[in-house]
Amino acid sequence: MGIKANPYPFIKNSDIYVQTSRFEGFGLAIAEARMLNIPVVATRFDAVYNQMVEGKNGLVVDMEAGAVCEGILQLINDVELRDEIIEYLHAEKKGNVEEINKFYQLIG
């Protein structure tokens, strides 16, 4: 596909986002997938739990190809789990948008 200036349409049209990192400071792409309510399969790196709630907004797996494959297959095959994760993602607080909206209601 090459370099895309705007990857968000591709993420939004995905069923699952997979982040196979050994090291991440924050994992911006995970946050982007979460903002678009896409279930995440992420490898276990130091900062992953700053964003991931195991089994709630996605799956955290070991840094091994087999574990990543199992996580992906679990989200593909377990429709109930995937739907629960998507429902959680829709309700999940993602940053300060909610707080900004409350502020506008107060001053509006």
Side-chain angles (χ1 to χ4, degrees):
M1 291 174 41
I3 296 173
K4 299 293 180 189
N6 181 5
Y8 299 117
F10 298 102
I11 298 170
K12 186 173 174 50
N13 288 313
S14 299
D15 296 318
I16 299 167
Y17 175 75
V18 180
Q19 179 80 31
T20 56
S21 296
R22 292 186 187 278
F23 307 101
E24 290 280 343
F26 175 69
L28 183 58
I30 291 173
E32 292 166 341
R34 288 175 47 229
M35 290 296 288
L36 295 169
N37 303 311
I38 304 300
V40 174
V41 175
T43 51
R44 192 170 281 108
F45 54 88
D46 288 343
V48 74
Y49 292 108
N50 291 341
Q51 295 188 70
M52 296 297 296
V53 181
E54 174 62 38
K56 296 290 188 180
N57 60 4
L59 303 176
V60 180
V61 299
D62 290 333
M63 286 187 228
E64 301 170 355
V68 173
C69 181
E70 286 178 28
I72 293 168
L73 288 174
Q74 184 177 1
L75 286 183
I76 289 171
N77 295 325
D78 190 340
V79 176
E80 185 177 332
L81 174 62
R82 189 174 64 245
D83 288 347
E84 287 172 6
I85 289 172
I86 292 169
E87 184 177 327
Y88 182 91
L89 285 163
H90 279 280
E92 182 180 52
K93 185 175 184 229
K94 301 176 185 96
N96 293 325
V97 174
E98 295 86 358
E99 297 305 317
I100 291 170
N101 288 336
K102 288 179 191 175
F103 174 74
Y104 284 135
Q105 287 175 354
L106 287 173
I107 64 170

